[in-house]
Amino acid sequence: MSIRSLVAALTLGALASCGGELAAEPAEADASTTRDMLVIGTQSDIGVLNPVVQETAADDYVLQALSVRMTGLEFDCSLKKSPAYAKSWEWNDEGTVLKVELRDDLTWEDGTKVTAADVAFTYELVSDPVVASARLAFIERMNPDARPRVIDDTHIEWHFTNAYDRDTQMSHTSLPLVPKHVFADADRASLRGHERSNRPLSYGPWRLETWEPNQRLVLEPNEHFTGPEYMKPRLSRIVYRVIPEYSTRLIELETGGIDHMQSILVQDADRLREEHPEINLVRRGWRAMDYVAWNLKDPLFEDKAVRTALAMATDVDGMIGKLLTGKDGEKFARRATSTITPALCGVHNDDIAPIAHNADQAKQMLASAGWRDTNGDGVLDKDGKKFEFTLSTNTGNKRRADSAVLLQDQLKKVGVVVNIEKTESNAFFENLRKRDYQAALAGWVAGLFVDPTDIWHCEDDEHKYEFNFTSYCNPKVDELIEKGLNTPVPKDSAPLWQEVQQLVHDDQPYLFLWWMDEIVGISDRFENTKIDILSPLNDLHQWEVPEDKVKYRK
Amino acid sequence: MSALDAIGPGMLPVLLLLLLLHASILRIGLGALTGGPPTLRRAAALAAACMAVTLPLSLVGGAVALAGAAVVALTLCVGIVSWGTGTPPVSAAKVQAAWVGILFLLAGVWWYAGGWAAGVLVAVVTGVGLLPAPMRPYIVRKLLLAIPLILLIVTLIFQLLELSPGTVADKFFTPETPPEVRQMIVEKYHLDDPAYVRYAAMIGNLATFDFGRSMAQEREVFEIIREALPNTLLLSMLTLMVAFPTGILIGTVQAVRQNTAIDTSASVGSLLLYSMPGFWLGMMLQLLVAFYLSSWLSDLGARGLLSDGAVSLLTLPSSGMIDPVMHDYMSPGERIIDRLKHLILPGVAMGMASAGSTARYMRSALLEVIRKDYIRTARAKGLSERAVIIKHGMRNALLPIVTIFGLSIPYLFGGSVLIEMIFAWPGMGRVILAAIYSQDTPLLIAAFYVYTLLVVAGNLTADVLYAWVDPRIKLA
């Protein structure tokens, strides 16, 4: 009984206290805290925040916020540059020397000045084999004693072994910097694990406030930023939330838990447009493509006519309509005719006509190549062998899985049997690398520079191009590629690249499918945003929210 | 400073202190027993004596827990039922009080059960001779057998990693990366060395508990595990804390009310929960909470029944461990409530299946026990039905539950990958998954090594507990 009365007494006591307030409601915000916060939903955590050994694009976006780029970048058919850390620059007439003048007013967070010595040191780390930097390709065509040569604190010179595309040269010389005074004595073999590779010193508009692994990353305005006024941030905080599952990210976007989300699927974009007008959907541009690679060493795909016929038998436009078109007919993909993105409008060959769908003509072409249905079982055969092959693709990608099924169905209509095989990503890429496949449904992310070497150049005993999955070899294409890579002025190299695209398309080593647009969702309270093909989070310092729409107050 | 802030930081140390007190009393008391041969009855008698000392504290804990529950229920029911009083009848303060009540409820359960268990564990570990004689060689034998088991498992993992395609150097496989870089990585991590060389090096490191550095992240493996493990532990402990008592309660009610409507519906319910895939349940809960619950709450807010503060306090978050934006600006008390809010959905998703299965075990165990002669004797002695069930029935029916609990211990540390993925919970499950995808051998081996040790410990605990609690069991 005593327990019961004790409980009763406590309950009454609790009820009685219900009238009072236990905590005050949040205080009124004062004028100085009316800058809003941006919450970004990302799929995976950052890898490492050291530009020398950085790996993923996500790391790059954060690094850009913590540094001042060599040049400001705009993309309009090609990269347009404006002064940033580099005040001015000029080439010599041959295009082999690039002289750059740097700003003198930037400092690291700890007060040390940013100088040309930091630039030289950054590239020294890149060139050191022990570091194993993925940026080694940047310095391949630089003179070892001038990459760069330091003239004084604000003047550097880059010497190249030969003149090549100037946009590419600029990009190769525009890595974000690492502080020399911090990394001078670092163990170069384990740079990724260095404390300052995960909590870097900033010299840009933002600084790294917190990094909770696998959870969140917080950026705050850098109070020690000494750069130009227009670069000072207009938001009070940026929070990256690591949310691995797509559906969870979408829920968070819809409920306002996050403000920014990449790679929204087309069917979800339709729904968001109807139900959530407060979320802006931005198309980033033709960033990624899908294709079917034919293994040219397989006897089935040796003949160009056969490959062309297979492309003709496929209704790629129909597939785009089913998989990548919105409810109102808005298309989020366009036919691909090469591995160069249509966004590079000067270089992309717009004159190449994609192969039109024509099942009858495809059957005729196959028949001319010797493939007929001699035994009436609905499957083409030749010399007693059926036209049957395995199409492999990687797991975890619904669009590719659906495309494979559609492809299988369409090719069945012309008498070709396709068996679909789905393999785990690591295993799939290993097979591609080893050329252990017949046909593979895969994709590329667009490069904003033209260098088709790795995908299309002939291989020989000396030079192996691991990404030439199809074992493609056309000496004319090689000649054009080499010429193009050594032509400094983009206007002059464009016709060369266009010819390369035409030749490759004629040869059909790929069944070119489509270039896809990436859909990014951003809360409409943000103004001055910059979401484009370069980055979904460009120039974060200029993003702002008007006073009356501020959601998060400190 | 508001009452909430006073409670927040003060509560945990107070509870820990009480736990320590409980454990030390038990220990001291048992130490005084070194004279004669220890028996279970003596230990139980001593434990009861200790409980008499700490009983008032236990009562307070239980009462606070009950009060907390009462506050929650009354606030929600009374607050929402009453209409139009001018100000919102349910203010942020009331909801905060409700959360504090839940916190006390959970803390009370944990403190009571945990204190008891910790006290016994401390006594056993400090070797006061609580264990009957035949158990000591049994435990030693089991521990010795564990060594070849661990070796076998580590070898198996090593073999599997050898056979799976790719290596950690594959991260560098992009069109822009020169092949020399990949070669450098291969040399750096001795990936070219023959398998037996790497195997021997690995065994040598594990023997000295040198987990090394993660290949993919180049950070100390120990550090990576140290960051992720507490998050998993937090979630798993909450899950166990909720699932087991719920399951036991439901199972008991079912057994006592066998073949009634309650029994049937609870059976169907627990079977449903048990069969439901945890990740699907998680996603459904997210949908329910994110859309239906929050629109219901904002509707109530629009009708003037809930203040804005109350709405935000009642809205359960769909993912994460803390509020990513505002957590840093919250007072300590608010932070604890924030963490509690984030634990609810993943904890329920993970716990429901366990609760379902525990209920079924409890039901069948209790049904079997109820038919025994000594239960009939107890009833014949004139004891109330409640005393019969709780004192005589449940104690014996809890034996299989004890075993299951011991076997759940490894689950505590492994984490559930799917739940962690869906709720963006930064725990061990995700670390292991990422390590598998990037072929990060040192991290994987270390994680599975630790995991195996814990499985062995868990199994051993289950065996020992079972044998200790049930004198009929003779350990071979």
Side-chain angles (χ1 to χ4, degrees):
Chain A
M1 290 297 153
S2 61
I3 302 173
R4 280 209 213 128
S5 41
L6 187 63
V7 167
L10 280 164
T11 316
L12 281 171
L15 265 178
S17 71
C18 258
E21 294 285 302
L22 271 181
E25 301 286 318
E28 283 300 307
D30 58 312
S32 65
T33 59
T34 48
R35 290 191 299 173
D36 206 348
M37 305 186 196
L38 170 66
V39 185
I40 300 164
T42 60
Q43 187 179 11
S44 45
D45 200 8
I46 54 153
V48 60
L49 288 174
N50 183 323
V52 174
V53 288
Q54 158 237 326
E55 280 139 26
T56 66
D59 297 347
D60 195 44
Y61 306 147
V62 177
L63 275 172
Q64 297 294 352
L66 299 176
S67 60
V68 176
R69 275 196 279 236
M70 269 297 174
T71 62
L73 287 176
E74 293 282 336
F75 191 84
D76 176 18
C77 282
S78 64
L79 285 168
K80 305 262 180 293
K81 296 166 202 55
S82 51
Y85 180 41
K87 269 163 76 173
S88 67
W89 57 90
E90 61 173 0
W91 276 271
N92 66 349
D93 292 329
E94 291 88 44
T96 51
V97 176
L98 174 62
K99 294 198 176 102
V100 182
E101 187 194 348
L102 307 165
R103 295 181 75 104
D104 65 348
D105 59 352
L106 293 183
T107 52
W108 296 100
E109 251 181 285
D110 60 0
T112 319
K113 257 187 168 310
V114 181
T115 65
D118 291 313
V119 182
F121 181 73
T122 303
Y123 280 84
E124 190 194 314
L125 284 180
V126 171
S127 63
D128 193 338
V130 132
V131 169
S133 166
R135 307 276 169 270
L136 215 51
F138 284 17
I139 60 164
E140 256 168 11
R141 281 181 277 194
M142 292 184 193
N143 225 317
D145 60 347
R147 54 186 187 199
R149 181 175 297 160
V150 175
I151 313 294
D152 61 40
D153 273 356
T154 52
H155 291 85
I156 52 175
E157 275 180 17
W158 302 87
H159 291 227
F160 300 96
T161 52
N162 63 301
Y164 58 101
D165 178 61
R166 289 195 182 174
D167 282 346
T168 315
Q169 281 179 330
M170 280 300 290
S171 297
H172 284 175
T173 57
S174 298
L175 270 184
L177 308 178
V178 295
K180 180 173 180 173
H181 63 285
V182 168
F183 283 97
D185 300 321
D187 171 23
R188 293 190 182 183
S190 54
L191 219 50
R192 281 162 191 81
H194 193 279
E195 195 216 351
R196 280 299 183 195
S197 288
N198 292 307
R199 284 169 177 76
L201 272 187
S202 161
Y203 66 105
W206 302 91
R207 56 172 289 276
L208 183 70
E209 161 72 19
T210 313
W211 173 50
E212 287 153 15
N214 270 326
Q215 225 180 309
R216 64 177 184 154
L217 185 95
V218 179
L219 299 177
E220 290 203 338
N222 180 5
E223 298 112 36
H224 303 283
F225 181 58
T226 50
E229 193 62 36
Y230 75 86
M231 282 188 116
K232 296 230 164 97
R234 300 172 205 177
L235 295 171
S236 65
R237 214 174 215 218
I238 296 180
V239 180
Y240 282 80
R241 285 184 65 179
V242 181
I243 305 175
E245 181 68 28
Y246 171 82
S247 54
T248 312
R249 276 203 306 283
L250 194 62
I251 287 177
E252 292 286 357
L253 182 70
E254 292 187 49
T255 56
I258 58 174
D259 301 314
H260 181 286
M261 176 175 166
Q262 287 181 258
S263 304
I264 298 178
L265 296 177
V266 173
Q267 53 267 41
D268 292 322
D270 283 335
R271 196 168 52 79
L272 285 175
R273 215 171 286 138
E274 276 171 32
E275 296 173 16
H276 292 277
E278 76 281 3
I279 299 174
N280 280 343
L281 297 169
V282 181
R283 292 174 64 149
R284 269 187 76 189
W286 309 114
R287 292 218 68 234
M289 69 173 291
D290 278 344
Y291 61 87
V292 176
W294 306 117
N295 191 342
L296 298 175
K297 294 256 190 290
D298 188 307
L300 279 175
F301 307 118
E302 270 171 348
D303 189 347
K304 182 162 105 172
V306 169
R307 301 197 296 269
T308 313
L310 289 170
M312 231 177 255
T314 314
D315 182 11
V316 181
D317 285 307
M319 285 164 79
I320 293 177
K322 283 202 175 74
L323 302 171
L324 291 159
T325 304
K327 254 201 312 215
D328 58 357
E330 186 181 354
K331 289 196 191 306
F332 292 94
R334 59 176 276 180
R335 293 286 304 263
T337 52
S338 71
T339 49
I340 292 174
T341 168
L344 286 168
C345 22
V347 181
H348 182 259
N349 191 335
D350 299 321
D351 297 328
I352 302 178
I355 294 181
H357 172 57
N358 192 331
D360 294 320
Q361 199 180 350
K363 277 198 224 160
Q364 271 173 15
M365 282 184 79
L366 287 167
S368 315
W371 290 99
R372 290 162 223 275
D373 184 9
T374 52
N375 53 5
D377 62 349
V379 179
L380 298 177
D381 46 76
K382 178 170 154 183
D383 304 329
K385 210 166 167 274
K386 276 196 198 181
F387 202 140
E388 184 176 350
F389 66 90
T390 305
L391 177 67
S392 357
T393 189
N394 58 313
T395 53
N397 189 323
K398 186 165 189 302
R399 182 191 67 249
R400 286 197 194 148
D402 292 343
S403 313
V405 171
L406 287 171
L407 208 73
Q408 181 187 47
D409 184 59
Q410 285 164 9
L411 288 181
K412 188 162 157 205
K413 294 201 178 90
V414 298
V416 175
V417 175
V418 177
N419 301 316
I420 300 174
E421 180 187 79
K422 283 196 237 148
T423 328
E424 184 265 331
S425 294
N426 283 339
F428 177 64
F429 288 114
E430 176 97 353
N431 289 341
L432 282 180
R433 238 179 285 141
K434 295 201 290 218
R435 318 277 191 266
D436 183 14
Y437 71 98
Q438 284 189 289
L441 181 59
W444 291 119
V445 172
L448 294 174
F449 299 102
V450 187
D451 186 357
T453 318
D454 291 305
I455 304 177
W456 300 127
H457 202 286
C458 289
E459 285 189 302
D460 54 40
D461 289 327
E462 276 182 9
H463 296 101
K464 293 267 170 247
Y465 297 103
E466 284 188 304
F467 294 92
N468 187 347
F469 300 140
T470 52
S471 309
Y472 178 72
C473 188
N474 185 334
K476 183 86 175 71
V477 168
D478 286 357
E479 201 190 302
L480 287 165
I481 290 177
E482 274 147 34
K483 223 164 129 192
L485 286 176
N486 287 306
T487 308
V489 181
K491 209 161 43 85
D492 298 335
S493 57
L496 298 166
W497 299 129
Q498 285 172 349
E499 209 187 323
V500 166
Q501 290 169 70
Q502 183 72 61
L503 287 170
V504 170
H505 187 262
D506 288 340
D507 285 337
Q508 284 286 301
Y510 284 177
L511 201 184
F512 291 96
L513 289 172
W514 45 71
W515 281 99
M516 294 168 285
D517 217 335
E518 186 189 331
I519 306 172
V520 174
I522 175 84
S523 161
D524 70 351
R525 71 181 197 276
F526 288 91
E527 291 174 3
N528 253 337
T529 58
K530 201 164 163 201
I531 299 171
D532 54 31
I533 199 169
L534 288 172
S535 160
L537 294 162
N538 242 331
D539 290 342
L540 284 167
H541 52 266
Q542 69 182 43
W543 296 37
E544 59 185 343
V545 175
E547 173 86 37
D548 54 327
K549 291 193 192 164
V550 170
K551 181 175 172 183
Y552 297 109
R553 288 162 203 272
K554 271 198 185 176
Chain B
M1 185 166 58
S2 74
L4 192 56
D5 291 323
I7 291 164
M11 191 168 56
L12 267 162
V14 164
L15 289 170
L16 277 169
L17 217 61
L18 286 172
L19 179 68
L20 224 62
L21 183 68
H22 208 157
S24 9
I25 290 173
L26 206 59
R27 172 74 182 84
I28 292 166
L30 286 167
L33 250 194
T34 44
T39 62
L40 190 62
R41 217 158 41 100
R42 265 176 146 177
L46 185 69
C50 293
M51 289 304 289
V53 168
T54 56
L55 193 59
L57 293 166
S58 308
L59 272 179
V60 167
V64 166
L66 276 170
V71 166
V72 171
L74 286 165
T75 305
L76 286 177
C77 296
V78 172
I80 290 172
V81 161
S82 75
W83 294 69
T85 52
T87 53
V90 184
S91 67
K94 285 192 184 127
V95 179
Q96 257 176 348
W99 279 114
V100 172
I102 293 178
L103 211 57
F104 269 97
L105 181 65
L106 290 171
V109 169
W110 168 78
W111 176 83
Y112 190 84
W116 211 156
V120 171
L121 206 66
V122 163
V124 166
V125 161
T126 53
V128 179
L130 189 63
L131 297 168
M135 206 177 281
R136 261 173 264 139
Y138 176 79
I139 292 178
V140 168
R141 221 177 335 133
K142 277 271 174 172
L143 285 171
L144 284 174
L145 273 175
I147 296 175
L149 178 70
I150 292 171
L151 208 65
L152 180 70
I153 289 179
V154 163
T155 309
L156 207 66
I157 302 289
F158 182 82
Q159 266 299 96
L160 280 172
L161 287 172
E162 282 292 298
L163 290 170
S164 52
T167 64
V168 73
D170 292 342
K171 291 197 304 174
F172 302 93
F173 187 61
T174 66
E176 295 87 40
T177 312
E180 307 93 75
V181 173
R182 282 187 69 212
Q183 193 52 35
M184 285 177 221
I185 300 281
V186 165
E187 279 162 27
K188 186 157 107 173
Y189 292 115
H190 307 286
L191 295 170
D192 263 354
D193 284 354
Y196 62 86
V197 170
R198 282 180 285 123
Y199 179 72
M202 178 191 79
I203 297 293
N205 286 339
L206 287 179
T208 53
F209 281 91
D210 172 16
F211 292 150
R213 306 191 113 203
S214 149
M215 282 189 208
Q217 298 181 46
E218 286 197 16
R219 294 195 295 144
E220 296 289 317
V221 167
F222 186 73
E223 188 118 354
I224 297 173
I225 295 182
R226 195 180 54 82
E227 281 161 4
L229 198 56
N231 299 334
T232 299
L233 275 176
L234 184 63
L235 186 58
S236 307
M237 263 166 52
L238 183 85
T239 307
L240 282 178
M241 218 154 64
V242 169
F244 269 89
T246 315
I248 291 171
L249 196 67
I250 295 176
T252 309
V253 166
Q254 278 191 275
V256 163
R257 299 261 176 274
Q258 195 193 4
N259 294 330
T260 58
I262 293 179
D263 181 26
T264 323
S265 49
S267 281
V268 170
S270 47
L271 206 61
L272 208 69
L273 286 174
Y274 184 59
S275 332
M276 218 180 275
F279 67 89
W280 184 82
L281 183 61
M283 287 171 132
M284 289 302 113
L285 282 172
Q286 272 182 331
L287 280 175
L288 268 172
V289 156
F291 297 116
Y292 299 108
L293 178 68
S294 52
S295 62
W296 178 61
L297 285 172
S298 41
D299 185 48
L300 288 174
R303 295 204 303 206
L305 294 171
L306 298 173
S307 73
D308 285 342
V311 169
S312 78
L313 275 171
L314 281 170
T315 306
L316 290 176
S318 321
S319 66
M321 269 187 81
I322 52 171
D323 185 320
V325 184
M326 292 317 235
H327 188 85
D328 303 326
Y329 307 115
M330 291 178 178
S331 63
E334 284 169 337
R335 282 191 199 180
I336 292 188
I337 289 185
D338 187 37
R339 283 192 183 268
L340 184 61
K341 271 171 61 176
H342 282 83
L343 276 166
I344 302 254
L345 278 191
V348 167
M350 258 172 88
M352 272 180 145
S354 307
S357 68
T358 309
R360 305 235 22 97
Y361 279 118
M362 187 66 197
R363 178 184 181 273
S364 57
L366 193 57
L367 278 176
E368 196 188 309
V369 160
I370 279 179
R371 302 189 200 307
K372 291 279 164 66
D373 284 341
Y374 55 83
I375 296 290
R376 216 159 358 124
T377 314
R379 284 203 187 108
K381 280 201 285 185
L383 288 173
S384 73
E385 190 62 18
R386 186 165 6 135
V388 168
I389 298 294
I390 294 179
K391 258 178 85 174
H392 296 274
M394 270 185 77
R395 260 201 211 153
N396 294 296
L398 278 173
L399 294 178
I401 306 295
V402 155
T403 319
I404 294 168
F405 193 82
L407 294 172
S408 307
I409 292 177
Y411 176 65
L412 268 182
F413 297 92
S416 165
V417 174
L418 291 168
I419 299 288
E420 287 183 8
M421 288 282 285
I422 291 165
F423 290 100
W425 198 266
M428 281 302 291
R430 274 170 57 185
V431 163
I432 292 178
L433 190 67
I436 290 175
Y437 276 129
S438 55
Q439 297 276 319
D440 195 349
T441 319
L443 182 53
L444 274 173
I445 298 282
F448 281 114
Y449 181 58
V450 167
Y451 194 69
T452 313
L453 286 173
L454 293 166
V455 169
V456 166
N459 281 340
L460 190 59
T461 311
D463 280 339
V464 167
L465 267 177
Y466 199 78
W468 183 56
V469 165
D470 187 352
R472 296 169 299 173
I473 306 282
K474 294 216 180 326
L475 292 168

